[in-house]
Amino acid sequence: MHSVWRLLVLLGLLALPSALHKPQQPGLAKTHTDSKSALARIIAQGLMKHDTEGRIQNIHLLDSLNASGQMAPGMVGWLIGSTSLHHHPEGSANITNAQLDYGGIWMSFHKEWFTANISLGFDIDLRLPFNNHIIKTHERMNLSVEFWLEKDEFGRRDLVIGKCHVEPRSVHTTFLTEAIPPKVNPFLRNFRDNLEKVIPHLIESQVCPLIDEILRQLDVKLLKSLMEQDIAYELNQL
């Protein structure tokens, strides 16, 4: 069974360059073709297979913000402190143009320890319910996941996946709309502050389980071999 899985992974790696050029995945496609790490390519392939960008775009952002307890119920409630969004159904906040850019994998050489870093970004179209005005923002952040091989009491190696999280200091919001009414600025500041508190958890909930699944599908012996290949490549670059 393990031999079959190794064959499938190797076939997947051979097919990956063409998959990375598929037009429906611009964010991943333009950044992964030159990757020298086999593990990076496997993770990229898995993220594309699971349509990670589509999953991010399907996040119900307003529901998550309202449920966070950071502010008064409803989008307008953030502005005036009382009105519920149910009275203004035209208000919305939709994630669009999600893109993942794979940053690389490296290893701590005193342990079989890798950290995968993925930078990602997306736009938010914020439709204000009181004037139907659309304000566009752009979000950028970095997600990292640690994993390593650890020996048990019998000397067998097991995959251990450590912390997978969005770096809080990496979350940045940029307002792309220039013509913003001055009276809306306090609301937008509140929106940005609360958005940057909620977004890390939302992205982690979508991306981290996928990376966990991708890595755990690998045979441990194959994973160790791929790690050794990456170490050898990095040493050759010194």
Side-chain angles (χ1 to χ4, degrees), residues 83-90:
T83 309
S84 171
L85 186 61
H86 295 296
H87 297 101
H88 299 269
E90 69 275 16

Side-chain angles (χ1 to χ4, degrees), residues 13 38-39 42 218 222-230:
L13 288 175
L39 276 171
I42 288 175
L218 295 177
L222 174 61
L223 186 58
K224 184 175 185 298
S225 176
L226 293 173
M227 287 179 167
E228 290 173 347
Q229 290 178 26
D230 284 354

Side-chain angles (χ1 to χ4, degrees), residues 78-79 180-193:
W78 306 343
L79 181 61
I180 298 178
K183 66 178 182 180
V184 180
N185 285 331
F187 161 67
L188 293 182
R189 285 194 295 268
N190 191 31
F191 176 78
R192 179 193 60 199
D193 293 344

